[in-house]
Amino acid sequence: MARILVIEDEAILGLLLSEVLAGMGHIVCGVVPTEDAAVAAAALHQPDLLIVDAGLLVGTGISAVDKILAARFVPHVFTSGNALAVRLLKPDAIILEKPFHESELAEAIALALCQTGDVPA
């Protein structure tokens, strides 16, 4: 079980994702729609994992993750309708192309939670 912060600007998608994550046994510590709210919520809640919509209406999920990682490493999974665009910006990221299946989400979460944030020398 992980404490997960969902960064998603479409309210219905954030709600649905929260329900799926809760059904998987995780705790959703927040659902936020903007880059600034994501950075603030990550500092407040200290989540174990971020599920991040790469493109937000206000700011970007990619920039939010960069700011959050500047404070401390948090494993993360990007979601996007255009995974290739995210891959070009973040070649090593875990990315789920929308729409995705629950099994793909579970696999991405397991993979992300294995990350340590260590960069090879």
Side-chain angles (χ1 to χ4, degrees):
M1 171 181 13
R3 291 176 31 82
I4 301 175
L5 175 63
V6 175
I7 304 167
E8 171 60 64
D9 60 351
E10 293 190 40
I12 191 72
L13 292 180
L15 179 62
L16 289 171
L17 189 52
S18 294
E19 289 177 0
V20 169
L21 292 167
M24 295 167 79
H26 299 293
I27 298 168
V28 176
C29 58
V31 179
V32 295
T34 67
E35 180 180 323
D36 289 343
V39 174
L44 176 67
H45 297 294
Q46 299 290 303
D48 302 317
L49 178 72
L50 307 170
I51 305 288
V52 186
D53 182 4
L56 304 173
L57 291 177
V58 180
T60 72
I62 293 170
S63 182
V65 168
D66 288 343
K67 291 176 181 178
I68 292 165
L69 295 181
R72 74 176 182 96
F73 179 74
V74 183
H76 49 280
V77 174
F78 288 108
T79 64
S80 177
N82 186 353
L84 181 58
V86 179
R87 178 76 55 216
L88 292 173
L89 294 171
K90 297 287 185 183
D92 297 326
I94 299 169
I95 306 166
L96 287 175
E97 179 91 32
K98 292 179 179 178
F100 49 83
H101 296 283
E102 185 175 332
S103 61
E104 294 169 310
L105 178 61
E107 185 178 320
I109 289 170
L111 187 59
L113 289 174
C114 290
Q115 295 177 325
T116 63
D118 294 336
V119 178

